Amino acid sequence: MSTAKEHKPVVIVGAGVSGLALGNFLLREGIDCVVLERRDRDHVERRQRAGVIDTRATRAFRKRGLEDRVVGGTPVQAGLGFRIDGQDRWLELPAEEYREGRFCPQQVLVRNLITVFEQDGGDLRFGTEVTVEDIDRPRVRLGDGSIIEGDFIAGCDGSHGATRAAIPENRLTRHSHEYGYAWLVVLAEVPAVHPTLLAIHRRGFAAQFGRGPTASRFYLQCPLDDTAEDWPDERVWSELETRFGEPIATRGPIVEKQPLPLRGEVLSPMSHGGLHLLGDAAHIVPPSSAKGMNLALYDADVFAEALVGYYRHDDPSLLAAYSDNRLRDVWNYQAFATWFTDTVHDAGDATYRGEFRHQVARADFERLFTSGPANRLLGEFIAGLN
Ligand code: RFL
């Protein structure tokens, strides 16, 4: 086993959106870093999840001259398409805040980030499983036994990664929330008829999101103990048709089907000695809020600024404030995620949380159509500008 040792100022663990965005941001600033990823390139480039880069995240790329090279896709619509008990209702949202967001599947963003990072001379190593040896004097071990020491470790390795696991339990508080239901997450080779459609129905929430020209993500609210075997393809299609109140135009192959319990989580603080957490390693929001990928990008934006202060201006204050600043923002978006998720689910199937919550959610939902301030607030959260 090799005992080779190298030094990199910033050791980034994980080549998902947060790690790759951070790597690119640092490269633009001339700050040396390495991105270490345990999976192979093909796996990382094919992983399908989010579909929208919001206005604030788009701006983080633009201010560094990366928007044209990294952010693909068409502008998002200035509103949300709902189908409530089979009736269409279009919720118009403030157009100016939306204009800069893009429909861009996560795997397209990741592919572009990898390409740009490599074109610009970045050090990116796939197939490299990392374990963290020390977070106070930052030091990681790679699968071949070699060591990399750094000034900082950026923990960008998701909720099951090695960096959060390296933090002693007595230095960390985990705040978590279970929503009490799951989504059956379905990926199908079917073009999206509607770019985004959210169905509120007595049988449960359902949604469809386009994922590029030939694929769609469908989501079906289901009980926590449901398994993929409970949902043969025929049941998926017929339940979607019931909740959407229309036939599915094309029933293409279903390529992925898995239940995902909806939950929220925040790890506090996000900084521990030389280790700083970003993205899902630090916080989880339910996919219903469409904020997980975007929060990961906000973290990368703020952490990169902090490192620029440290290395270029000899000013460690932003780094010292990173955790507090990010946690304030993360809780704000957890508040949005909780409210939005509760509202669109409780307004449908009352069997999970009762008729009282159902009526409250219907009232909350109606306010979005009748109150300018409520409508604007939703628009700001969706754009990432609140
Ligand atoms: P990632 O993207 O999971 O990347 C973490 C990377 O770390 C690697 N890794 C390691 N590498 C080296 N050594 C180790 N020991 C390692 N351990 C792990 C992993 O292989 C991986 O490559 O985390 P990051 O960067 O924090 O990004 C977070 C986002 O990916 C996530 O929040 C979003 O995908 C969440 N999400 C959505 N976000 C949105 O903004 N809008 C959406 O519409 C949306 N839809 C979704 C979603 C997540 C979903 N799932 C599967 C949970 C829909 C779904 C179904």
Side-chain angles (χ1 to χ4, degrees):
M1 194 178 257
S2 159
T3 50
K5 197 189 281 186
E6 53 183 314
H7 184 276
K8 284 277 182 180
V10 185
V11 180
I12 301 173
V13 184
V17 280
S18 60
L20 289 166
L22 178 65
N24 275 289
F25 295 165
L26 295 183
L27 214 53
R28 305 295 283 184
E29 298 289 348
I31 298 171
D32 194 17
C33 62
V34 59
V35 181
L36 305 167
E37 166 58 47
R38 77 166 162 197
R39 309 300 296 250
D40 64 27
R41 180 180 187 139
D42 192 54
H43 177 92
V44 170
E45 290 191 341
R46 283 171 188 272
R47 214 166 27 200
Q48 301 229 9
R49 291 179 182 174
V52 171
I53 304 176
D54 69 18
T55 294
R56 175 168 164 193
T58 304
R59 288 179 183 172
F61 290 110
R62 184 180 313 145
K63 77 180 178 199
R64 296 175 171 94
L66 286 167
E67 182 183 5
D68 292 347
R69 297 171 74 196
V70 166
V71 182
T74 52
V76 295
Q77 306 157 289
L80 293 176
F82 286 98
R83 182 153 303 154
I84 300 161
D85 304 326
Q87 299 294 309
D88 277 329
R89 286 190 73 184
W90 173 254
L91 179 65
E92 191 75 22
L93 289 163
E96 71 274 19
E97 280 149 19
Y98 261 69
R99 220 172 20 222
E100 299 165 41
R102 291 285 177 276
F103 283 116
C104 176
Q106 185 167 335
Q107 74 277 13
V108 173
L109 174 65
V110 162
R111 219 176 293 145
N112 292 346
L113 286 168
I114 291 172
T115 304
V116 171
F117 191 65
E118 291 191 332
Q119 278 173 354
D120 292 356
D123 183 354
L124 170 56
R125 306 180 200 175
F126 289 104
T128 306
E129 174 112 31
V130 171
T131 49
V132 178
E133 298 237 311
D134 197 327
I135 59 174
D136 294 317
R137 282 173 299 145
R139 187 179 148 100
V140 302
R141 185 178 290 276
L142 314 191
D144 65 0
S146 62
I147 297 283
I148 305 183
E149 292 176 336
D151 302 333
F152 302 105
I153 300 172
C156 301
D157 50 347
S159 58
H160 303 292
T163 59
R164 60 149 62 181
I167 303 165
E169 282 294 329
N170 62 1
R171 285 171 65 172
L172 188 70
T173 306
R174 287 167 204 266
H175 306 275
S176 55
H177 172 63
E178 307 293 333
Y179 284 80
Y181 40 79
W183 274 7
L184 184 75
V185 173
V186 176
L187 184 66
E189 287 171 6
V190 176
V193 180
H194 314 273
T196 304
L197 184 63
L198 309 175
I200 292 175
H201 193 275
R202 277 278 180 189
R203 290 178 66 92
F205 178 80
Q208 178 184 4
F209 296 94
R211 289 289 187 265
T214 57
S216 295
R217 267 230 180 267
F218 293 99
Y219 299 117
L220 283 161
Q221 181 184 7
C222 64
L224 280 173
D225 52 4
D226 272 16
T227 64
E229 290 69 48
D230 294 323
W231 287 89
D233 292 3
E234 177 53 39
R235 183 177 173 210
V236 171
W237 294 122
S238 74
E239 193 61 29
L240 285 169
E241 291 184 346
T242 303
R243 296 187 195 182
F244 286 138
E246 70 177 11
I248 300 287
T250 323
R251 292 185 173 197
I254 290 179
V255 292
E256 184 191 317
K257 189 165 47 178
Q258 62 171 80
L260 179 78
L262 264 56
R263 67 190 187 97
E265 185 179 45
V266 178
L267 266 56
S268 178
M270 287 169 61
S271 300
H272 301 265
L275 168 65
H276 301 267
L277 300 177
L278 289 80
D280 282 8
H283 40 70
I284 303 286
V285 287
S288 42
S289 65
K291 280 293 159 213
M293 178 178 83
N294 288 293
L295 281 170
L297 293 170
Y298 311 162
D299 288 349
D301 180 23
V302 174
F303 190 56
E305 295 282 0
L307 290 177
V308 169
Y310 180 86
Y311 283 111
R312 302 264 304 270
H313 308 297
D314 202 19
D315 174 6
S317 61
L318 286 177
L319 201 55
Y322 170 75
S323 177
D324 286 350
N325 286 344
R326 289 308 302 136
L327 284 172
R328 203 172 309 120
D329 195 40
V330 165
W331 280 118
N332 191 32
Y333 279 87
Q334 289 286 2
F336 160 69
T338 310
W339 174 81
F340 189 74
T341 303
D342 284 347
T343 300
V344 297
H345 289 83
D346 291 347
D349 187 345
T351 61
Y352 289 90
R353 303 221 302 164
E355 193 60 30
F356 188 90
R357 293 283 324 171
H358 176 73
Q359 294 300 339
V360 167
R362 288 267 162 160
D364 263 347
F365 186 71
E366 278 308 316
R367 192 175 313 106
L368 298 173
F369 293 85
T370 55
S371 156
N375 181 283
R376 168 158 290 279
L377 189 62
L378 177 66
E380 286 171 356
F381 269 119
I382 294 178
L385 298 177
N386 189 283

